[in-house]
Amino acid sequence: MNASASLAASARPADIRAEVARLRKLATLLDAAFRIPGTKARWGLDTVIGLLPVGGTALMLIPSLYIVWKSRTLGASQPVLARMLANVLIEAAADLVPVLGDVFDTAFKADLRNVALLEAHLGLSTP
């Protein structure tokens, strides 16, 4: 058993739920913190900071990869982690295209997708 699996196994369910809730709050801040008035469209800091050419995309990889890393410590399986990394890479690659990448980023919401994958893997409900 690896260190992250033993950490997840020794954690109490309430602790795991609290950590997943923190990850969901972070993902919401990154992907859906703000609503475009008069629409259902939501965007977050990832969209705004991603407007900075290249540097914005690189900067926003940090919290996205943090969510993947925390998911690993919470016991996410290798296939789930692979899907999470694919989501981050898809979003980062698209973000390199000026303007269209930001529109894609606003719609794709990799961080919220990744938290939903973790919640499904852990058998937690998604709000």
Side-chain angles (χ1 to χ4, degrees):
M1 182 180 294
N2 66 28
S4 65
S6 64
L7 176 65
S10 66
R12 295 186 333 223
D15 295 337
I16 291 172
R17 286 183 190 280
E19 189 60 39
V20 172
R22 282 190 288 275
L23 292 176
R24 176 154 288 285
K25 284 181 184 178
L26 173 61
T28 300
L29 177 65
L30 295 172
D31 288 344
F34 312 104
R35 187 176 59 84
I36 297 171
T39 71
K40 293 181 182 179
R42 299 191 70 80
W43 53 278
L45 293 180
D46 199 0
T47 300
V48 176
I49 295 171
L51 289 171
L52 300 170
V54 183
T57 299
L59 182 64
M60 294 317 297
L61 279 173
I62 296 168
S64 293
L65 291 174
Y66 172 78
I67 290 170
V68 176
W69 176 75
K70 284 302 288 183
S71 297
R72 181 179 176 271
T73 65
L74 290 170
S77 67
Q78 290 299 322
V80 171
L81 293 171
R83 180 64 193 156
M84 289 177 163
L85 284 173
N87 286 340
V88 171
L89 292 174
I90 289 167
E91 188 171 85
D95 226 6
L96 293 174
V97 178
V99 183
L100 289 178
D102 296 306
V103 172
F104 177 83
D105 184 29
T106 301
F108 190 68
K109 301 181 186 326
D111 300 311
L112 285 173
R113 285 174 185 259
N114 286 346
V115 172
L117 284 170
L118 176 62
E119 289 168 339
H121 177 75
L122 296 175
L124 302 174
S125 63
T126 302

